[in-house]
Amino acid sequence: MKAVVVTPRQANTLRIKDVDVPKVPKEHVLLEVQKVGICRTDRDIISGFYGESPKGSDYLVLGHESLSRVSEVGTGVHSLKKGDLVVPTVRRNCFENCLNCRAGESDMCLTGDYKEHGIKELHGFASEYALSDAKFIVKLPEALKQVGVLLEPLTVVEKGEVQTFKIQQSRMKWSPKKALVLGAGPVGLLATAILRLKCLEVSTVATRSKDSPKAQLVMQTGAAYVNSKETSLKSMEDKFDIVFEVTGNPSVALEAQNLIETNGVVCYLGIYRMEQGTEDAGGLFTNMVLGNRVHFGSVNANKFYFEKGVKDLTRIRRKWNGFLEKIITRRSKLEDLERAYSPESEEEIKTIIDVR
Amino acid sequence: MKAVVVTPRQANTLRIKDVDVPKVPKEHVLLEVQKVGICRTDRDIISGFYGESPKGSDYLVLGHESLSRVSEVGTGVHSLKKGDLVVPTVRRNCFENCLNCRAGESDMCLTGDYKEHGIKELHGFASEYALSDAKFIVKLPEALKQVGVLLEPLTVVEKGEVQTFKIQQSRMKWSPKKALVLGAGPVGLLATAILRLKCLEVSTVATRSKDSPKAQLVMQTGAAYVNSKETSLKSMEDKFDIVFEVTGNPSVALEAQNLIETNGVVCYLGIYRMEQGTEDAGGLFTNMVLGNRVHFGSVNANKFYFEKGVKDLTRIRRKWNGFLEKIITRRSKLEDLERAYSPESEEEIKTIIDVR
């Protein structure tokens, strides 16, 4: 079968490789992969920044955003059957099976020895067939067969949102009204939708014009779209109870400090370039202290957030017709590899590979 | 009576003023002030950085760290009597009586319209007599009459510690083992003691030598003392589940990022100078995201933390004989005003004014 592979830690080794269809261990499931989403993590692995092959292998199959049908189940698997529409989570428990991994929360693994499909020591899903441990697989209703590939990026938002509320409610009586989303890529758009589902007043900021597809999608949810080329963050007068920082741009993140309400919270979901020069870290910390503010980062998501995400995909689909479909701006084929993994236009949002 | 006053927002107007002993409203208590502690907030007010007079007054009585005896109670006060050893909290509810103020948590006031004794729109306690609303006063046992003036700085730590555990336990199963305290001033030393009371392995970092009084106090609690002039933060190999940043130095705060354990938490209690130049804000945010880390700031403390603080002062006093007494390195008189408010040596920890 065909698989999209790289040699980890070597730049530009992306290629199609012909590999054997794996045999199915007792507690595992063979997935007939339907769609794979492409994100910045994939591009960073292709650039050689990270990625780790499974032991005994000199390549890594890419792909952690996926949608599959069950092709075959191991003899110990009773919860799934051939044909089921499914998405596997990405991370697997650490070798030591730490406190959090044991509790089904490997996203909060304490040892760092976890594995991740398509990223760290486990092959990903960008291949015609792939394996996953059955207990890390969630089922999706048939209605989500066109957009279920967005579940994994949505889970990043789900975890950010759940932790935002848990943290804030642990600290005080809190009744947030306004949220700011910085960035309108796939995660920014999904964050906008999730915060709108909670009936918050949402403003989403990005660099594209108000006619752009991104701006249109923001406004479809009832959120306000702010073009940061027309309105600088510094000139905004609102204060926000919640900020989701998804641009991955530390200058934007620092500029937004003045927009956080007293007792407010910032959830960081990006990977940030190193920036030296004009940043005011002292101001950042003082703002945190004098306003009792929380800043937290979130990475990865466990099965709980995938299950919550399935429900929210259904709610978003019912509420904002076509919203999820329009996030997928390009569909590529396995064979069109180079093109698939390189952005082609500034209006692009999410590219997926139609595996079949 | 004598009172220590400034003209707010004007540098160097510190003086003794003769003012009338206030009359006692129905729900208030007249305090016969025993001791007043001096901290950086007082010095910042003296430098004209902030401070606000009560309405109708052109001066502000300083002092928010205090220990008093009840001198007279208003006709509506039944919970306190003449002679009681007491400490009033600092902040009073906002005019709108917001959700948190109403719940007794004015430290998390949502409107910013709160008042603070000795800081914002209410006279402080650095005078022979002072007034406080009775419901913001906590009683102390007689055994604390020498060290009870440390209660207010301790409450800053109490709130930081309680919120640290609430936030972390809201996010995951968490069983912290190691804590790092950056700074060994009064708040750093009290944080060291509070974290040691929780049986954590604590390392406390400061610039003084191992023979210094600060280092000796750290080691008295069983914590490790790290002289940052001998051991750079960058060379430390431990990772810490909890970091308390109390130096107020953004470079130290940023250097400590690499010492935070995965899923760890940093509690900021300092006021930071603005620093420009070599800071890596992008690295800070990435570290937050990839490690699911939380950074939060904390300011002020409500009555709950004062009551918890009274219990912990008693526990510290029983456990580490002389620890609290040695934090008070200088006792001054009201008349010695200029000297009282200016640090005299690098080994100084806490200066107090013996009002009587």
Side-chain angles (χ1 to χ4, degrees):
Chain A
M1 65 167 186
K2 286 181 202 142
V4 177
V5 309
V6 294
T7 306
R9 305 272 172 173
Q10 287 184 32
N12 307 317
T13 59
L14 182 68
R15 60 196 186 273
I16 295 277
K17 187 177 166 75
D18 197 50
V19 301
D20 292 339
V21 174
K23 284 189 184 129
V24 190
K26 196 176 164 198
E27 309 291 346
H28 279 59
V29 168
L30 185 68
L31 304 165
E32 188 188 73
V33 181
Q34 306 295 309
K35 297 172 202 294
V36 175
I38 293 170
C39 80
R40 182 170 156 176
T41 301
D42 298 306
R43 295 198 189 100
D44 283 351
I45 295 172
I46 293 168
S47 302
F49 295 147
Y50 43 89
E52 207 174 325
S53 301
K55 276 195 188 114
S57 170
D58 57 2
Y59 65 90
L60 172 71
V61 178
L62 274 186
H64 56 281
E65 302 180 4
S66 69
L67 179 72
S68 292
R69 289 206 181 268
V70 171
S71 171
E72 193 184 328
V73 300
T75 54
V77 178
H78 305 292
S79 55
L80 294 163
K81 61 175 196 305
K82 188 173 163 68
D84 283 348
L85 190 69
V86 295
V87 172
T89 70
V90 179
R91 191 176 283 188
R92 298 293 172 267
N93 289 10
C94 67
F95 182 74
E96 296 86 341
N97 214 6
C98 76
L99 205 61
N100 287 319
C101 283
R102 223 179 303 151
E105 297 177 3
S106 61
D107 59 313
M108 301 301 279
C109 172
L110 294 159
T111 68
D113 291 337
Y114 54 78
K115 297 179 179 181
E116 289 181 333
H117 280 285
I119 302 172
K120 185 171 181 283
E121 295 180 72
L122 285 174
H123 286 314
F125 307 116
S127 53
E128 291 177 273
Y129 293 90
L131 274 186
S132 168
D133 186 328
K135 71 170 174 290
F136 292 96
I137 287 176
V138 299
K139 278 210 276 193
L140 280 73
E142 283 299 317
L144 295 179
K145 69 182 173 188
Q146 292 306 321
V147 294
V149 68
L150 296 175
L151 179 57
E152 197 280 340
L154 178 64
T155 62
V156 172
V157 175
E158 296 284 2
K159 178 175 167 189
E161 183 261 314
V162 168
Q163 293 221 339
T164 292
F165 277 80
K166 279 189 176 176
I167 287 173
Q168 292 293 83
Q169 287 167 346
S170 80
R171 297 200 303 148
M172 62 185 153
K173 290 181 181 51
W174 192 59
S175 155
K177 288 178 190 66
K178 292 187 181 186
L180 178 68
V181 177
L182 299 168
V187 174
L189 289 169
L190 292 168
T192 301
I194 290 298
L195 294 166
R196 284 292 302 143
L197 280 183
K198 294 194 84 90
C199 295
L200 291 159
E201 278 176 49
V202 181
S203 299
T204 300
V205 181
T207 54
R208 315 305 306 145
S209 80
K210 287 219 170 177
D211 307 324
S212 67
K214 286 182 179 180
Q216 295 297 317
L217 285 169
V218 165
M219 291 186 283
Q220 187 184 358
T221 69
Y225 180 77
V226 180
N227 176 350
S228 62
K229 287 184 177 163
E230 287 172 5
T231 309
S232 81
L233 288 185
K234 279 184 183 148
S235 74
M236 286 177 76
E237 286 187 358
D238 270 338
K239 298 274 183 192
F240 298 90
D241 305 293
I242 301 171
V243 179
F244 269 62
E245 197 329 286
V246 200
T247 65
N249 182 332
S251 301
V252 173
L254 284 170
E255 244 184 83
Q257 303 305 317
N258 294 326
L259 302 175
I260 317 165
E261 186 57 275
T262 302
N263 305 341
V265 57
V266 188
C267 170
Y268 294 84
L269 299 172
I271 300 295
Y272 296 80
R273 294 185 312 282
M274 194 156 158
E275 300 244 329
Q276 305 232 342
T278 58
E279 316 306 355
D280 171 17
L284 170 71
F285 298 132
T286 297
N287 178 283
M288 238 187 251
V289 172
L290 292 183
N292 289 302
R293 293 179 177 91
V294 173
H295 294 236
F296 78 102
S298 175
V299 69
N300 194 258
N302 66 48
K303 198 176 176 185
F304 168 82
Y305 303 111
F306 278 73
E307 284 167 347
K308 183 170 182 309
V310 171
K311 287 180 203 151
D312 283 340
L313 279 181
T314 304
R315 291 172 71 201
I316 293 170
R317 208 172 144 269
R318 285 194 191 139
K319 197 153 177 154
W320 300 302
N321 184 33
F323 176 87
L324 294 167
E325 287 78 356
K326 284 181 208 144
I327 289 180
I328 302 169
T329 44
R330 191 153 60 97
R331 292 160 185 280
S332 194
K333 296 277 163 203
L334 261 188
E335 297 73 26
D336 261 348
L337 208 54
E338 292 294 344
R339 281 186 56 204
Y341 283 87
S342 313
E344 290 193 336
S345 104
E346 281 201 306
E347 303 300 348
E348 217 166 284
I349 307 175
K350 172 62 75 183
T351 296
I352 65 162
I353 298 176
D354 266 320
V355 178
R356 309 204 111 78
Chain B
M1 66 167 186
K2 286 182 202 142
V4 177
V5 308
V6 294
T7 306
R9 305 274 173 171
Q10 288 184 30
N12 307 316
T13 57
L14 182 68
R15 61 196 185 273
I16 296 277
K17 187 177 167 74
D18 197 50
V19 300
D20 292 338
V21 175
K23 285 190 182 127
V24 190
K26 195 174 165 200
E27 309 292 345
H28 279 59
V29 168
L30 184 69
L31 304 165
E32 186 187 72
V33 182
Q34 306 294 310
K35 296 172 203 294
V36 175
I38 292 171
C39 81
R40 182 172 154 175
T41 299
D42 298 307
R43 295 198 190 100
D44 283 350
I45 294 172
I46 293 168
S47 300
F49 295 147
Y50 42 89
E52 206 174 325
S53 301
K55 277 197 187 112
S57 170
D58 57 1
Y59 64 91
L60 173 72
V61 178
L62 274 186
H64 55 281
E65 301 181 4
S66 68
L67 180 70
S68 293
R69 289 204 181 271
V70 171
S71 171
E72 194 186 327
V73 300
T75 53
V77 178
H78 306 291
S79 55
L80 294 163
K81 62 176 194 304
K82 188 173 164 67
D84 283 349
L85 191 68
V86 294
V87 172
T89 68
V90 179
R91 192 177 281 188
R92 298 295 172 264
N93 290 9
C94 67
F95 182 73
E96 296 85 340
N97 214 7
C98 75
L99 206 61
N100 288 319
C101 282
R102 223 177 305 153
E105 296 176 4
S106 61
D107 59 314
M108 302 300 279
C109 172
L110 294 160
T111 68
D113 291 335
Y114 55 77
K115 297 178 180 183
E116 287 180 335
H117 280 283
I119 302 172
K120 185 171 181 285
E121 296 181 70
L122 285 174
H123 285 314
F125 307 116
S127 53
E128 291 177 272
Y129 292 89
L131 273 188
S132 168
D133 185 329
K135 71 171 176 290
F136 292 97
I137 288 176
V138 299
K139 277 211 275 194
L140 280 72
E142 283 299 318
L144 295 179
K145 68 182 173 188
Q146 292 306 321
V147 295
V149 67
L150 295 175
L151 179 57
E152 197 280 341
L154 178 64
T155 61
V156 172
V157 175
E158 297 284 2
K159 178 175 167 188
E161 183 261 314
V162 169
Q163 293 222 339
T164 292
F165 277 79
K166 279 190 176 175
I167 287 172
Q168 292 294 82
Q169 287 167 344
S170 79
R171 297 200 303 149
M172 62 185 153
K173 289 179 180 54
W174 193 59
S175 156
K177 288 179 190 64
K178 293 187 180 183
L180 179 67
V181 178
L182 300 169
V187 174
L189 290 169
L190 292 168
T192 301
I194 291 296
L195 294 165
R196 285 293 302 139
L197 281 183
K198 294 193 84 91
C199 295
L200 291 159
E201 279 178 48
V202 180
S203 298
T204 299
V205 181
T207 55
R208 315 306 308 147
S209 81
K210 286 218 171 179
D211 309 324
S212 66
K214 286 182 179 181
Q216 295 298 316
L217 285 169
V218 165
M219 291 186 283
Q220 187 184 357
T221 68
Y225 180 77
V226 180
N227 176 349
S228 61
K229 287 184 177 164
E230 287 172 5
T231 309
S232 79
L233 289 185
K234 279 184 183 146
S235 74
M236 288 177 75
E237 286 186 357
D238 270 338
K239 297 273 182 192
F240 298 89
D241 305 293
I242 300 172
V243 179
F244 269 62
E245 197 329 285
V246 200
T247 65
N249 182 332
S251 301
V252 172
L254 284 170
E255 245 184 82
Q257 304 305 317
N258 294 325
L259 302 174
I260 317 165
E261 185 58 274
T262 302
N263 305 343
V265 57
V266 188
C267 171
Y268 294 84
L269 298 172
I271 299 294
Y272 297 80
R273 293 186 311 282
M274 194 156 159
E275 299 245 328
Q276 305 232 343
T278 59
E279 316 305 355
D280 172 15
L284 170 71
F285 297 131
T286 298
N287 179 284
M288 238 186 249
V289 172
L290 291 183
N292 289 302
R293 293 179 177 91
V294 173
H295 294 236
F296 77 101
S298 175
V299 69
N300 193 260
N302 66 48
K303 197 175 175 186
F304 168 83
Y305 302 111
F306 277 73
E307 284 166 348
K308 184 170 182 308
V310 171
K311 289 180 199 147
D312 284 340
L313 278 180
T314 303
R315 292 172 70 199
I316 293 170
R317 209 172 143 268
R318 285 194 189 137
K319 196 153 180 154
W320 300 302
N321 184 31
F323 177 87
L324 293 168
E325 287 79 356
K326 283 180 208 143
I327 288 180
I328 301 170
T329 45
R330 191 153 60 95
R331 292 162 186 279
S332 195
K333 297 274 165 207
L334 262 189
E335 297 73 26
D336 262 349
L337 207 55
E338 292 295 341
R339 282 184 57 204
Y341 284 87
S342 313
E344 290 193 337
S345 105
E346 281 201 306
E347 303 300 346
E348 217 166 283
I349 307 176
K350 172 64 73 185
T351 296
I352 65 162
I353 299 177
D354 267 320
V355 178
R356 308 205 113 77

